Amino acid sequence: QVQLVESGGGLVPVGGSLRLSCAASGRPISSYTMAWFRRAPGKEREFVSSISQSADTTDYADAVKGRFTIFRDNAKSIVFLEMNNVNLEDTALYYCAGGRDSRGDFYYWGQGTQVTVSS
């Protein structure tokens, strides 16, 4: 079992930057694909970014491509999401996820960290 705890959320102005962290415990995350999702008010949860076990492959939603960067430190079991040039549409509860089953669904989830972008 893996426990995921997100941190780093907060209030950030339009155009600003923020770094989210996801600390894992219970098992090393080095064998898991990790990802970030988000849920904006009144919307469904959506994929933001993912990173492969060895960090050689990353994927981003079109809405964040070129602005967000995902990276990981397997030795410390932490996954990061660097958010740059944020906009109002980035306001959401951001979730960390890990471990992907045969259907592609993630089975470990954190509780989320709130990011609010102010104008």
Side-chain angles (χ1 to χ4, degrees):
Q1 194 76 340
V2 175
Q3 292 77 43
L4 302 175
V5 179
E6 303 93 336
S7 61
L11 185 65
V12 57
V14 169
S17 298
L18 207 60
R19 177 180 291 185
L20 305 183
S21 300
C22 171
S25 61
R27 286 184 178 180
I29 62 169
S30 56
S31 60
Y32 298 122
T33 293
M34 301 296 294
W36 289 92
F37 287 75
R38 67 186 183 185
R39 183 168 62 212
K43 295 186 178 181
E44 297 291 317
R45 186 173 64 194
E46 65 176 0
F47 169 80
V48 175
S49 181
S50 65
I51 185 168
S52 61
Q53 293 93 319
S54 59
D56 57 348
T57 302
T58 56
D59 191 20
Y60 296 93
D62 288 342
V64 307
K65 202 169 293 183
R67 301 187 298 118
F68 290 10
T69 302
I70 189 171
F71 56 104
R72 64 192 296 164
D73 184 336
N74 283 341
K76 296 182 179 179
S77 286
I78 303 178
V79 181
F80 301 93
L81 184 70
E82 184 78 27
M83 306 169 61
N84 295 313
N85 193 24
V86 299
N87 56 53
L88 295 175
E89 289 70 39
D90 295 322
T91 293
L93 186 61
Y94 284 73
Y95 297 91
C96 177
R100 186 176 270 172
D101 62 23
S102 58
R103 298 179 304 175
D105 296 327
F106 288 89
Y107 42 78
Y108 296 126
W109 290 88
Q111 294 299 306
T113 186
Q114 177 67 39
V115 173
T116 302
V117 182
S118 62
S119 59

